[in-house]
Amino acid sequence: MRNKLLRVNMNSLTTKFEDLPKSLRNLGGRGLTSSIVKEEVPPTCHPLRSNNKLVFAPGMVTGTSAPSSGRLSVGGKSPLTGGIKESNVGTNFAQALARLGVKVIIVEGQFDDRYKLLQVDSEGVSFADATPWSDIGLYEAYEGLRQEFGDQVDICGTGIVGEMEAANSGIVFNDPEGLPSRYSGRGGLGAVMASRGLKFIVLDDEGAPGVDLADEEQFRKGTKKLTNALTEHDVTKPGGTLNSYGTDAMVDVINEAGALPQFNFSKGRDDRAAKVSGEAKAEEIKNREGTRPHACHDGCVIQCSEIWTKPGGEDPVGVLEYESVWSLGPNCGIYDLDTVGELNRACNDLGLDTIEAGATIAVAMEGGLLDFGDGTGALELMDEIREGTSKGRILANGAEFAGQALGVTRVPAVKGQAMPAYDPRAIKGMGVTYATTPMGADHTAGYTVSPEILSVGGEEDPLSSEGKSTLSREIQYATAFIDSTGYCLFTTFATADIPKGEEGLIESVNGVLGTDYTADDILEIGKKIIEKERQFNKEAGFTKEDDRLPEFMVEEELPPHDESFDVSVEQLDEVFET
Amino acid sequence: MAIQCRLYGKFKKLASKTDSASGTVGIIELQEKFCKVEDLLGYLDLNEEQISHIIVNGRYVGQGKDLEDGDRVAIFPKELSLLYKWYFD
Ligand code: SF4
């Protein structure tokens, strides 16, 4: 059983292995999920009814010994944006699925008598009743599932907010310790999963056949070069930035650059932000004897992750990423790591995407439900969500929905999805990406922050609107390729600067697939993926008017730079009109 | 008016005090006159090799940047580097 497509029909509770069609064989991750969603999901369907499908696909090299390659894409039509969605996660689940010979799982139809659990192992596929682990928090559920199925299994599932079929529900994967802390968070795919009647997938890869290598020598040569680059580069090496401080190292830099959105995108810099920086957090983790560094999956050489705990090392939460710390912290006027940690724990437990959850709380603060900076109040809102009160259900549907309910006009969202931790008025290229990616506001879709803020020369002025269309387009194409390989996006810090690393990355892909891609093919492969995604959105009813930032960002200036978003609509439309 | 120098990571040790808002950033208030960022670095005895990036008044700058009274200068060490260099090759 290798290179298989596993089709799971929830209407009849049947499963079948199919040969992957030739046209899909060289794809992986995002390329695979987006191609299948485009092919099989009617763009105008209701995301929570039976015509939508949920697609899981590990990357091209995932499941091999390639470094930092345990990534998986989940795709479907998003209940948050109404468009196509690919949400990417790093987890051992990705590797286990690939080693089981499954290139893609397509979950279709709906099982009405909820909930089922799907088990996949080297013997085959079966369903089990998921009721004992439904309607409870995911920390308890994952512990229970590991007791039932063994510590070695990998799990993905959807939480209480998924069961509510709320638009801010992610799909949650285990970290190597079994904590429900690795997320395909964005776009509400947890609700798509729950609405199929599927609550969990449990994998056991013992005795799995592993991933075929078309050209082992090429693969080994490539992964060696890539590993060398990753262990050499200041950002990715052992003891380097990501390894020492995690993604949260961004807090201080972006705050100094005046681009860290705070108090619901009202200001870009506040000196209190350093209280929740990667540096402050790493020090505190050391004090508490938590874990840092840590890998989100076995075989990551960068290891940007960690395990945050309560004081005294109690009650592990999992990683506190930059985006989560920012959204649940400074964006809500909260500058306290313990409060942020507990809010993040609530998100993990309920199955909420942290970026959307923090943005929603900040909108609720602006709407007068509670004061900015009120951490206790924010935790109480999480309880309302858990209890499924009317208020809780409104908040579980994301920032835009909450904004409408509360009469808030300053909602930082594009295509219904809340913005991450870079204010587009201070980093213009990021605004171009937020506006134009088919995903809704998404920083990973085209991370222009690197050349705008983080480059050595600083030739790209983050406050200028010049040239940002081309910059965003090229990075979006390159990203769509990386999201398909199964490599973590953070490998690009090293491959971007060290040519041999990039060469190695491509060789490793060729070694697995038997292709002869060169660096010149990357943008073309990415372009094809984005074209499919844009076509889906077009058929779902999106127009270029949806490729815009919220009005308040065009009209209101952001201190300290006092800049508004002044990239013209012509420049935005030019991104994909090539 | 002085120049406020904000030191991150291990550079924090160069400062005798931390900022009041967060208590974690090293702060040096300099009354001396510095023409350029490189002069300031010389004064702090820091060389290019140790530095990842410098942000003056919210803008990423090179070492040749002119300094003025009232400037806010943030200096990040190598181990806080988050760089892509290839865009400018
Ligand atoms: S660098 Fe971080 S996010 Fe990427 S694969 Fe490694 S641990 Fe996971």
Side-chain angles (χ1 to χ4, degrees), chain A residues 10 22 26 33 64 75 84 99 124 134 171 187 197 253 266 389 412 492 511 518:
Chain A
M10 295 302 296
K22 244 200 172 123
N26 285 343
T33 60
T64 68
I84 197 164
R99 284 188 197 126
S134 301
I171 296 184
V253 183
S266 293
T389 63
T492 60
T518 66

Side-chain angles (χ1 to χ4, degrees), chain A residues 87-89 167-171 183-190 351-354:
Chain A
S87 186
N88 194 282
V89 61
N168 179 24
S169 53
I171 296 184
Y183 262 74
S184 273
R186 309 237 63 196
L189 293 176
L352 286 167
D353 170 38
T354 51

Side-chain angles (χ1 to χ4, degrees), chain A residues 68-71 90-91 182 242 247 294-297 300-305 321 487-491:
Chain A
S68 309
S69 66
R71 310 282 310 188
T91 166
R182 308 301 320 185
L242 286 169
T247 51
H294 173 260
C296 72
H297 69 273
C300 176
V301 304
I302 305 170
Q303 304 196 359
C304 75
S305 183
E321 300 282 9
Y487 281 115
C488 177
L489 201 53
F490 299 151
T491 58

Side-chain angles (χ1 to χ4, degrees), chain A residues 415 431-438 472 476 534 547 572-573 575-576:
Chain A
K415 300 183 179 72
V432 177
T433 294
Y434 291 164
T436 58
T437 163
S472 172
Q476 288 196 53
R534 284 180 56 81
D547 288 349
L572 293 176
D573 292 340
V575 172
F576 289 119

